[in-house]
Coordinates of all heavy atoms in Angstrom, one line a residue:
M1 N -12.2 -27.7 -18.3 CA -12.2 -26.4 -17.5 C -13.3 -25.5 -18.3 O -13.3 -25.3 -19.4 CB -10.9 -25.7 -17.8 CG -10.6 -24.4 -17.0 SD -10.2 -24.9 -15.2 CE -10.1 -23.1 -14.6
L2 N -14.1 -24.9 -17.4 CA -15.3 -24.1 -18.0 C -14.7 -22.8 -18.3 O -13.9 -22.3 -17.5 CB -16.4 -24.0 -17.1 CG -17.1 -25.3 -16.7 CD1 -18.3 -25.0 -15.6 CD2 -17.7 -26.0 -17.9
S3 N -15.3 -22.1 -19.3 CA -14.7 -20.8 -19.7 C -15.2 -19.8 -18.8 O -16.3 -19.8 -18.0 CB -15.2 -20.4 -21.1 OG -16.6 -20.2 -21.1
R4 N -14.4 -18.7 -18.6 CA -14.8 -17.6 -17.7 C -16.1 -17.0 -18.1 O -17.0 -16.7 -17.3 CB -13.6 -16.5 -17.8 CG -13.6 -15.4 -16.9 CD -13.3 -15.8 -15.5 NE -14.5 -15.8 -14.7 CZ -14.6 -16.3 -13.4 NH1 -13.5 -16.9 -12.9 NH2 -15.7 -16.2 -12.7
Q5 N -16.3 -16.9 -19.4 CA -17.5 -16.3 -19.9 C -18.8 -17.1 -19.5 O -19.7 -16.5 -19.1 CB -17.6 -16.4 -21.5 CG -16.6 -15.2 -22.0 CD -15.3 -15.8 -22.4 OE1 -14.8 -16.7 -21.7 NE2 -14.7 -15.6 -23.6
L6 N -18.6 -18.5 -19.6 CA -19.7 -19.3 -19.1 C -20.0 -19.1 -17.5 O -21.2 -19.0 -17.1 CB -19.5 -20.7 -19.4 CG -20.5 -21.7 -19.0 CD1 -21.9 -21.5 -19.6 CD2 -20.1 -23.1 -19.3
L7 N -18.9 -19.2 -16.9 CA -19.0 -19.0 -15.4 C -19.7 -17.6 -15.0 O -20.3 -17.5 -14.0 CB -17.6 -19.2 -14.8 CG -17.0 -20.6 -14.8 CD1 -15.6 -20.6 -14.3 CD2 -17.9 -21.5 -14.0
D8 N -19.4 -16.6 -15.8 CA -20.0 -15.3 -15.6 C -21.5 -15.3 -15.7 O -22.1 -14.6 -15.0 CB -19.4 -14.3 -16.5 CG -17.9 -13.9 -16.0 OD1 -17.6 -14.2 -14.9 OD2 -17.3 -13.2 -16.8
V9 N -21.9 -16.1 -16.6 CA -23.5 -16.1 -16.8 C -24.1 -17.2 -16.1 O -25.4 -17.1 -15.9 CB -23.8 -16.1 -18.3 CG1 -23.2 -14.8 -19.0 CG2 -23.3 -17.4 -19.0
I10 N -23.5 -18.2 -15.7 CA -24.2 -19.3 -15.1 C -24.6 -19.0 -13.7 O -23.9 -18.3 -13.0 CB -23.3 -20.7 -15.2 CG1 -24.1 -21.8 -15.3 CG2 -22.3 -20.6 -13.9 CD1 -23.2 -23.0 -15.9
A11 N -25.9 -19.4 -13.3 CA -26.3 -19.2 -12.0 C -27.1 -20.3 -11.4 O -27.5 -21.3 -12.2 CB -27.3 -18.0 -11.9
C12 N -27.2 -20.4 -10.2 CA -28.0 -21.5 -9.5 C -29.5 -21.5 -10.0 O -30.1 -20.3 -9.9 CB -27.9 -21.4 -8.1 SG -29.0 -22.4 -7.1
P13 N -30.0 -22.6 -10.5 CA -31.3 -22.5 -11.1 C -32.4 -22.3 -10.0 O -33.5 -22.1 -10.2 CB -31.4 -23.9 -11.7 CG -30.5 -24.8 -11.1 CD -29.4 -23.9 -10.7
K14 N -32.0 -22.6 -8.7 CA -32.9 -22.4 -7.6 C -33.0 -21.0 -7.0 O -34.1 -20.4 -7.0 CB -32.5 -23.4 -6.5 CG -33.5 -23.6 -5.4 CD -33.2 -24.7 -4.4 CE -34.2 -24.8 -3.3 NZ -33.7 -25.7 -2.4
C15 N -31.8 -20.5 -6.7 CA -31.8 -19.1 -6.1 C -31.3 -18.1 -7.0 O -31.3 -17.0 -6.7 CB -30.9 -19.1 -4.8 SG -29.3 -19.5 -5.0
K16 N -30.9 -18.5 -8.2 CA -30.2 -17.5 -9.1 C -29.0 -16.8 -8.6 O -28.5 -15.8 -9.2 CB -31.2 -16.3 -9.6 CG -32.6 -16.9 -10.1 CD -32.5 -17.7 -11.2 CE -34.0 -18.3 -11.6 NZ -33.9 -19.5 -12.5
G17 N -28.3 -17.4 -7.7 CA -27.2 -16.9 -7.0 C -25.9 -17.3 -7.8 O -26.0 -18.2 -8.7
N18 N -24.8 -16.7 -7.4 CA -23.5 -17.2 -7.8 C -23.1 -18.6 -7.5 O -23.5 -19.1 -6.4 CB -22.4 -16.3 -7.4 CG -22.5 -15.0 -8.0 OD1 -23.0 -14.8 -9.2 ND2 -22.0 -13.9 -7.4
L19 N -22.5 -19.3 -8.5 CA -21.9 -20.6 -8.2 C -20.5 -20.6 -8.0 O -19.8 -19.8 -8.7 CB -22.3 -21.5 -9.4 CG -23.8 -21.8 -9.5 CD1 -24.0 -22.4 -10.8 CD2 -24.3 -22.6 -8.3
E20 N -20.0 -21.4 -7.2 CA -18.4 -21.5 -7.0 C -17.9 -22.7 -7.8 O -18.6 -23.8 -7.7 CB -18.3 -21.9 -5.5 CG -16.9 -21.4 -5.1 CD -16.8 -21.8 -3.5 OE1 -17.6 -21.2 -2.7 OE2 -16.0 -22.6 -3.2
Y21 N -16.9 -22.5 -8.6 CA -16.3 -23.5 -9.4 C -15.3 -24.3 -8.9 O -14.1 -23.6 -8.8 CB -16.1 -23.0 -10.9 CG -15.5 -24.0 -11.9 CD1 -16.0 -25.2 -12.0 CD2 -14.5 -23.6 -12.6 CE1 -15.6 -26.0 -13.0 CE2 -14.0 -24.3 -13.6 CZ -14.6 -25.6 -13.7 OH -14.1 -26.5 -14.7
R22 N -15.3 -25.5 -8.6 CA -14.3 -26.3 -8.0 C -14.5 -27.7 -8.5 O -15.0 -28.5 -7.9 CB -14.3 -26.4 -6.4 CG -13.8 -25.2 -5.8 CD -13.8 -25.4 -4.3 NE -15.1 -25.1 -3.6 CZ -15.8 -25.9 -2.9 NH1 -15.2 -27.2 -2.7 NH2 -17.0 -25.7 -2.4
K23 N -14.1 -27.9 -9.7 CA -14.4 -29.1 -10.6 C -15.8 -29.3 -10.9 O -16.2 -29.3 -11.9 CB -13.8 -30.3 -9.9 CG -13.8 -31.6 -10.8 CD -12.9 -32.6 -10.1 CE -13.9 -33.7 -9.4 NZ -14.6 -34.5 -10.3
D24 N -16.7 -29.2 -9.8 CA -18.1 -29.1 -10.0 C -18.6 -27.7 -9.6 O -17.9 -26.9 -9.2 CB -18.8 -30.2 -9.2 CG -18.6 -31.6 -9.7 OD1 -18.7 -31.9 -10.9 OD2 -18.2 -32.4 -8.9
L25 N -19.8 -27.5 -9.9 CA -20.4 -26.1 -9.5 C -21.2 -26.2 -8.2 O -22.0 -27.0 -7.9 CB -21.3 -25.6 -10.5 CG -20.4 -25.2 -11.9 CD1 -21.6 -25.1 -13.0 CD2 -19.7 -23.9 -11.7
F26 N -20.9 -25.3 -7.2 CA -21.4 -25.3 -5.9 C -22.2 -24.0 -5.6 O -21.8 -23.0 -5.9 CB -20.4 -25.6 -4.7 CG -19.6 -26.8 -4.9 CD1 -18.6 -26.9 -5.8 CD2 -20.1 -27.9 -4.1 CE1 -17.9 -28.2 -5.8 CE2 -19.4 -29.1 -4.2 CZ -18.2 -29.2 -5.1
C27 N -23.5 -24.3 -5.0 CA -24.3 -23.0 -4.6 C -24.2 -23.3 -3.0 O -24.7 -24.2 -2.5 CB -25.8 -23.1 -5.1 SG -26.6 -21.7 -4.4
R28 N -23.5 -22.3 -2.4 CA -23.4 -22.3 -1.0 C -24.5 -22.2 -0.2 O -25.0 -22.7 0.8 CB -22.3 -21.4 -0.4 CG -20.8 -21.7 -0.8 CD -19.8 -20.6 -0.3 NE -18.5 -21.0 -0.4 CZ -17.9 -21.9 0.4 NH1 -18.6 -22.2 1.5 NH2 -16.8 -22.1 0.3
K29 N -25.4 -21.3 -0.9 CA -26.7 -20.9 -0.2 C -27.7 -22.0 -0.2 O -28.2 -22.3 0.9 CB -27.3 -19.7 -1.1 CG -28.1 -18.8 -0.4 CD -28.4 -17.7 -1.4 CE -29.3 -16.5 -1.0 NZ -29.5 -15.6 -2.0
C30 N -27.8 -22.8 -1.3 CA -28.7 -23.9 -1.4 C -28.1 -25.1 -0.9 O -28.7 -26.1 -0.8 CB -29.3 -24.1 -2.7 SG -30.0 -22.7 -3.4
R31 N -26.8 -25.2 -0.8 CA -26.0 -26.3 -0.5 C -26.2 -27.5 -1.5 O -26.4 -28.5 -1.2 CB -26.2 -26.8 1.0 CG -25.9 -25.8 2.1 CD -25.8 -26.4 3.4 NE -24.6 -27.3 3.4 CZ -23.3 -27.1 3.7 NH1 -23.0 -25.8 3.7 NH2 -22.5 -28.0 3.8
L32 N -26.1 -26.9 -2.7 CA -26.3 -28.0 -3.9 C -25.1 -27.9 -4.6 O -24.4 -27.0 -4.9 CB -27.5 -27.5 -4.8 CG -28.9 -27.7 -4.1 CD1 -29.9 -27.2 -5.0 CD2 -29.3 -29.2 -3.9
K33 N -24.8 -29.2 -5.3 CA -23.7 -29.4 -6.1 C -24.2 -29.8 -7.5 O -24.9 -30.8 -7.5 CB -22.7 -30.5 -5.6 CG -21.6 -30.8 -6.5 CD -20.7 -31.8 -5.8 CE -20.9 -33.2 -6.5 NZ -19.9 -34.1 -5.9
F34 N -23.7 -29.0 -8.5 CA -24.1 -29.4 -9.9 C -22.8 -29.9 -10.6 O -21.9 -29.4 -10.6 CB -24.6 -28.1 -10.7 CG -25.8 -27.5 -9.9 CD1 -25.6 -26.5 -9.1 CD2 -27.1 -27.9 -10.2 CE1 -26.7 -25.9 -8.3 CE2 -28.2 -27.3 -9.6 CZ -28.0 -26.4 -8.6
K35 N -23.0 -31.1 -11.0 CA -21.9 -31.8 -11.7 C -21.6 -31.4 -13.0 O -22.4 -30.9 -13.8 CB -22.1 -33.2 -11.7 CG -22.2 -34.1 -10.3 CD -22.0 -35.6 -10.6 CE -21.4 -36.1 -9.3 NZ -21.1 -37.6 -9.5
V36 N -20.2 -31.2 -13.3 CA -19.6 -30.9 -14.4 C -19.0 -32.1 -15.1 O -18.1 -32.7 -14.5 CB -18.6 -29.8 -14.4 CG1 -18.1 -29.4 -15.7 CG2 -19.2 -28.5 -13.7
E37 N -19.5 -32.6 -16.2 CA -19.1 -33.8 -16.9 C -18.6 -33.3 -18.4 O -19.5 -32.9 -19.1 CB -20.1 -34.8 -16.9 CG -20.0 -35.6 -15.5 CD -21.3 -36.6 -15.4 OE1 -21.6 -37.2 -16.5 OE2 -21.7 -36.8 -14.3
D38 N -17.3 -33.6 -18.7 CA -16.8 -33.2 -20.0 C -17.0 -31.8 -20.2 O -17.5 -31.4 -21.4 CB -17.4 -34.1 -21.2 CG -17.1 -35.6 -20.9 OD1 -16.1 -35.9 -20.5 OD2 -18.0 -36.5 -21.2
D39 N -16.8 -31.0 -19.2 CA -17.0 -29.5 -19.4 C -18.3 -29.1 -19.7 O -18.7 -27.9 -20.2 CB -16.0 -29.0 -20.5 CG -14.7 -29.0 -20.0 OD1 -14.3 -29.1 -18.9 OD2 -13.8 -28.8 -21.0
I40 N -19.4 -30.0 -19.4 CA -20.8 -29.5 -19.6 C -21.4 -29.5 -18.1 O -21.5 -30.7 -17.6 CB -21.5 -30.5 -20.5 CG1 -20.9 -30.4 -22.0 CG2 -23.0 -30.1 -20.7 CD1 -21.2 -31.6 -22.8
P41 N -21.9 -28.4 -17.7 CA -22.5 -28.3 -16.2 C -23.9 -28.9 -16.4 O -24.6 -28.6 -17.4 CB -22.5 -27.0 -15.9 CG -22.2 -26.1 -17.1 CD -21.7 -27.1 -18.3
N42 N -24.2 -29.8 -15.5 CA -25.6 -30.3 -15.5 C -26.3 -29.4 -14.4 O -26.1 -29.5 -13.1 CB -25.5 -31.8 -14.9 CG -27.0 -32.4 -14.8 OD1 -27.9 -31.7 -14.9 ND2 -27.0 -33.7 -14.8
M43 N -27.1 -28.6 -14.9 CA -27.8 -27.6 -14.1 C -29.2 -28.1 -13.7 O -30.1 -27.3 -13.3 CB -27.9 -26.2 -14.8 CG -26.5 -25.7 -15.2 SD -25.4 -25.7 -13.8 CE -26.1 -24.6 -12.7
L44 N -29.5 -29.3 -14.0 CA -30.8 -29.8 -13.6 C -31.1 -29.9 -12.0 O -30.1 -30.6 -11.4 CB -31.1 -31.2 -14.2 CG -31.3 -31.2 -15.7 CD1 -31.4 -32.7 -16.2 CD2 -32.5 -30.3 -16.2
L45 N -32.0 -29.3 -11.4 CA -32.2 -29.2 -10.1 C -32.4 -30.6 -9.5 O -31.8 -30.9 -8.3 CB -33.3 -28.3 -9.7 CG -33.5 -27.6 -8.4 CD1 -32.0 -26.9 -8.0 CD2 -34.5 -26.4 -8.5
E46 N -33.2 -31.3 -10.2 CA -33.5 -32.7 -9.7 C -32.2 -33.7 -9.7 O -32.3 -34.7 -9.1 CB -34.7 -33.4 -10.5 CG -34.6 -33.3 -12.0 CD -35.2 -32.0 -12.6 OE1 -35.0 -31.0 -12.0 OE2 -35.6 -32.2 -13.8
E47 N -31.2 -33.3 -10.4 CA -30.0 -34.1 -10.5 C -28.9 -33.6 -9.6 O -27.7 -34.2 -9.4 CB -29.5 -34.4 -12.0 CG -30.6 -35.2 -12.7 CD -30.1 -35.6 -14.0 OE1 -29.0 -35.3 -14.5 OE2 -30.9 -35.9 -14.7
A48 N -29.2 -32.4 -9.1 CA -28.1 -31.8 -8.2 C -28.0 -32.6 -6.9 O -29.1 -33.2 -6.4 CB -28.5 -30.3 -7.9
E49 N -26.8 -32.6 -6.3 CA -26.6 -33.3 -5.0 C -26.4 -32.3 -3.8 O -25.8 -31.3 -4.1 CB -25.3 -34.2 -5.0 CG -25.5 -35.2 -6.1 CD -24.1 -36.0 -6.3 OE1 -23.1 -35.8 -5.5 OE2 -24.0 -36.7 -7.3
R50 N -26.8 -32.7 -2.7 CA -26.6 -31.9 -1.5 C -25.2 -32.1 -0.9 O -24.7 -33.1 -1.1 CB -27.7 -32.3 -0.5 CG -29.1 -32.0 -0.9 CD -30.0 -31.9 0.3 NE -31.2 -31.1 -0.1 CZ -31.4 -29.9 0.0 NH1 -30.3 -29.1 0.6 NH2 -32.5 -29.3 -0.4
F51 N -24.8 -31.0 -0.3 CA -23.4 -31.3 0.3 C -23.4 -30.5 1.7 O -24.3 -29.8 2.0 CB -22.3 -30.7 -0.5 CG -22.2 -29.2 -0.7 CD1 -21.5 -28.4 0.1 CD2 -23.1 -28.6 -1.8 CE1 -21.6 -26.9 -0.1 CE2 -23.0 -27.1 -2.0 CZ -22.3 -26.4 -1.2
Ligands
ZN1 ZN1 -28.7 -21.6 -5.0

């Protein structure tokens, strides 16, 4: 589980918008999914998946 504090500051690296946290992090605007593994979000744009 990611902390509330982290979720408050974390943003989509592409559009700087808010991310939705549902196990992984989702940007609805860019339709990108950023994987969270061992509570560490992978915010690399090149490793994000489309949804
Ligand atoms: Zn975005």
Side-chain angles (χ1 to χ4, degrees):
M1 193 76 178
L2 297 182
S3 72
R4 189 70 253 171
Q5 291 95 316
L6 178 62
L7 291 171
D8 282 346
V9 295
I10 215 161
C12 172
K14 192 174 180 187
C15 69
K16 312 293 178 204
N18 287 333
L19 294 168
E20 200 175 305
Y21 179 44
R22 284 183 276 124
K23 197 168 95 67
D24 292 313
L25 292 164
F26 295 82
C27 177
R28 285 180 173 278
K29 213 173 177 180
C30 305
R31 301 198 62 80
L32 288 174
K33 176 175 104 170
F34 301 91
K35 285 201 163 188
V36 178
E37 280 169 33
D38 298 325
D39 287 345
I40 300 163
N42 182 346
M43 303 312 292
L44 293 175
L45 207 44
E46 52 270 34
E47 289 180 21
E49 290 172 16
R50 300 203 154 270
F51 68 92

